[in-house]
Amino acid sequence: MKKYKDLLSKNNIAPSFQRIKILEFLDKNRTHPTADMVYQALKKKIPTLSKTTVYNTLKKLSQSNIIAELHLFENEIRYEYNTDPHIHFKCLKCGKIYDLDETYDHYENNFIDGHKVIEHHVNLKGICRNCLEK
Amino acid sequence: MKKYKDLLSKNNIAPSFQRIKILEFLDKNRTHPTADMVYQALKKKIPTLSKTTVYNTLKKLSQSNIIAELHLFENEIRYEYNTDPHIHFKCLKCGKIYDLDETYDHYENNFIDGHKVIEHHVNLKGICRNCLEK
DNA sequence: ATCATTGCAAACACTTTGCATACGC
DNA sequence: GCGTATGCAAAGTGTTTGCAATGAT
């Protein structure tokens, strides 16, 4: 996939087969997976893949801001392909995490109590529309 | 401390010496400590204290909503004595976490895209007023 | 041939669990 | 004395590191 190869090269990350596949997976599966979920999914197609490579790659990609590390509600890291600012909603019933297109940049580059705000993260919890219907 | 003893009893948690001390520590040190920080601080005064007790107590207290478990920006759990709704600000320079009295209940008990919002968490990052002055 | 990436295994940090002892009512 | 809390040690997760083998240019 040229798209991913170019993106990696542009960020001075050698576009190895594994890295391209991990990046492609995150682009095509917007499910906020953990490192282990990425590993489990890709292992099927790349039997030789190691968890170490997944961890190393995810760290490299997030350091280059190609993907984002999420620290949502549990004590675990989840990853997502970097996109426009948005907020996260987690369903308390089914556990699914949704991206919401709310920008909510109320605080961005603003000052609160004298503190300069650079980043903001809004995490919501509740019951998702699918679970409400049941 | 009668205050803590009563609070524990009211929640059907036996008000043992260790539990009272852990709760008192969180009330008097609003520094969002990790379990280990609580342990290190209290071990000085209670040499026999074990980490297990700290972990077990923190879990019990947060299950009763006496304290809150925070999943802020790093992949670790921090705890705080439960108070009015507020948001958190972490300084990128000094690492300190501030409580901000912004309520921001824009989404609370509201529906977004059909999802019912029950909880919300707003986490900000930036440079705190102390670090800005330097 | 060189250099970086990979992947195994071991180490690591944080948290939980099992269980015997000790404590409080 | 009974029942629960404590605290040690061991096990369990999620993540990182050391290093030899592999792979790409």
Side-chain angles (χ1 to χ4, degrees), chain B residues 14 16 18-19 48 50 52-53:
Chain B
S16 74
Q18 287 88 336
R19 287 172 179 166
T48 63
S50 85
T52 306
T53 300

Side-chain angles (χ1 to χ4, degrees), chain B residues 51-98:
Chain B
K51 232 177 213 182
T52 306
T53 300
V54 175
Y55 275 109
N56 290 341
T57 300
L58 292 174
K59 174 166 285 184
K60 239 182 199 311
L61 295 177
S62 58
Q63 280 168 350
S64 294
N65 279 312
I66 297 175
I67 65 173
E69 262 193 4
L70 304 180
H71 302 270
L72 298 178
F73 309 104
E74 280 78 32
N75 195 28
E76 65 185 0
I77 307 177
R78 290 170 172 272
Y79 294 90
E80 70 177 359
Y81 198 84
N82 233 346
T83 53
D84 302 327
H86 61 277
I87 69 178
H88 293 105
F89 174 94
K90 171 153 186 170
C91 180
L92 292 166
K93 208 164 170 188
C94 68
K96 199 174 164 192
I97 296 168
Y98 294 82

Side-chain angles (χ1 to χ4, degrees), chain A residues 98-112:
Chain A
Y98 294 82
D99 288 327
L100 301 182
D101 276 343
E102 305 267 327
T103 48
Y104 182 57
D105 48 10
H106 176 201
Y107 298 124
E108 202 78 10
N109 289 316
N110 240 316
F111 287 85
I112 304 187

Side-chain angles (χ1 to χ4, degrees), chain A residues 58-72:
Chain A
L58 292 174
K59 175 167 284 184
K60 239 182 198 313
L61 295 177
S62 57
Q63 279 167 351
S64 293
N65 279 313
I66 297 174
I67 65 174
E69 264 193 2
L70 305 180
H71 303 270
L72 298 178

Side-chain angles (χ1 to χ4, degrees), chain A residues 29-47:
Chain A
N29 298 76
R30 305 298 181 110
T31 54
H32 317 85
T34 62
D36 192 62
M37 290 170 188
V38 174
Y39 170 68
Q40 297 298 339
L42 288 178
K43 196 176 54 168
K44 291 169 193 162
K45 297 191 170 184
I46 315 167

